[in-house]
Amino acid sequence: MTNFLETDQGRKIAYHKTGGEGPTVVFLGGLKSDMEGTKAIHLEAFCKARGQSFLRFDYSGHGESSEKFTDGCIGDWHEDTVAAVTALTAGPLIVVGSSMGGWQALLLARAMPERLVGLVGIAAAPDFTEDGYWAGFTDMQKEQMETQGYVELPSDYMEPYIITKRMIEDGRTRLVLRDDLNLPFPVRLLQGTADTAVSTETAVRLLDHAQSPDMRLQLVKDADHRFSDDTCLGLIEAAVAEITDLANA
């Protein structure tokens, strides 16, 4: 059964939490995805079988949570993440972020580094509003953004994305690849070479930029952005299990 958390901002966040030993694994989904996705459900079952606590939730404007997607931005979803983690978990965390959730995981690490004992990025997409969307916009799209306040972009996986001016402008205040990014815990980055949404160059840029005592990038030939076949799911499991063992050593 889905539970709901009301945040200080008045948003209702839908979540599922399963109990167990720590560190708690928190799954952060991608843009316009929800907590019913293959990776989230699979990881929940994996943690439950291991007796490890697990949290998945929907950002506002996503899934079963309140608000409209087009009203949200990176900062709002960061607030949702902080609210969910603060209210629903205790003790050490392993954060698993997929695509935009990878950016959210890095923002969470910056906000509460003392809570995290590990991070797993799956096709992590830090700074994508600036380096992906804005950098790729034509002059006409940039003008459209100014005049009508949004741009419509096609998606390989669902209906078109509505990218708002607010999302772009807020994203500029949340960038993590311009300043020092200290991740004082093990980090595992997983990336498919056939990913058309997040490039391997993005993964390498993050690897080069961040400071971590134990950071590794694993490239999977021909894996796409979903990163959800049996092989990829096994790699996610292995990364979570390895970081858990390191945290508990």
Side-chain angles (χ1 to χ4, degrees):
M1 188 180 89
T2 302
N3 296 295
F4 290 87
L5 169 72
E6 183 155 351
T7 71
D8 290 344
Q9 295 79 25
R11 301 191 284 266
K12 289 186 170 61
I13 303 303
Y15 71 91
H16 285 263
K17 171 89 191 298
T18 52
E21 297 296 315
T24 299
V25 176
V26 180
F27 184 82
L28 303 178
L31 189 72
K32 288 198 84 177
S33 69
D34 59 45
M35 63 174 170
E36 300 300 326
T38 302
K39 292 186 289 292
I41 297 297
H42 183 90
L43 200 50
E44 179 181 66
F46 173 72
C47 288
K48 195 180 286 188
R50 286 164 51 86
Q52 188 166 6
S53 57
F54 180 84
L55 172 67
R56 58 185 167 99
F57 66 92
D58 288 329
Y59 312 111
S60 53
H62 292 68
E64 297 178 72
S65 291
S66 70
E67 316 308 319
K68 292 192 296 187
F69 171 76
T70 48
D71 290 337
C73 61
I74 302 300
D76 291 345
W77 303 323
H78 173 57
E79 289 174 349
D80 297 341
T81 301
V82 170
V85 164
T86 301
L88 303 173
T89 70
L93 304 171
I94 296 171
V95 182
V96 181
S98 175
S99 193
M100 191 268 283
W103 187 359
Q104 291 294 341
L106 296 169
L107 289 172
L108 188 67
R110 198 164 69 179
M112 47 177 69
E114 73 286 350
R115 292 284 310 275
L116 272 67
V117 295
L119 187 153
V120 179
I122 306 164
D127 300 5
F128 72 86
T129 53
E130 191 69 13
D131 299 333
Y133 290 156
W134 185 255
F137 284 166
T138 63
D139 289 343
M140 185 183 294
Q141 285 174 313
K142 289 180 179 180
E143 186 179 336
Q144 197 176 36
M145 184 69 79
E146 287 300 320
T147 55
Q148 73 177 21
Y150 69 90
V151 169
E152 215 171 278
L153 296 180
S155 165
D156 291 341
Y157 300 101
M158 57 188 83
E159 75 271 17
Y161 288 142
I162 304 295
I163 306 304
T164 64
K165 184 179 180 182
R166 179 170 183 254
M167 187 190 291
I168 296 294
E169 290 181 343
D170 173 83
R172 288 189 182 127
T173 72
R174 310 285 173 176
L175 302 175
V176 295
L177 295 179
R178 271 73 175 168
D179 301 314
D180 288 349
L181 180 60
N182 188 32
L183 306 174
F185 40 72
V187 178
R188 299 293 179 264
L189 302 176
L190 304 172
Q191 175 73 41
T193 64
D195 190 331
T196 57
V198 177
S199 66
T200 54
E201 286 81 7
T202 300
V204 172
R205 185 180 174 201
L206 174 56
L207 181 76
D208 285 343
H209 178 74
Q211 304 295 314
S212 169
D214 179 6
M215 188 173 190
R216 301 175 198 174
L217 166 62
Q218 188 164 7
L219 298 178
V220 183
K221 187 172 173 61
D222 296 331
D224 65 14
H225 191 61
R226 290 187 180 92
F227 212 84
S228 292
D229 65 17
D230 289 345
T231 299
C232 291
L233 292 172
L235 292 173
I236 297 169
E237 288 181 1
V240 169
E242 182 191 9
I243 290 177
T244 301
D245 288 345
L246 290 170
N248 289 335

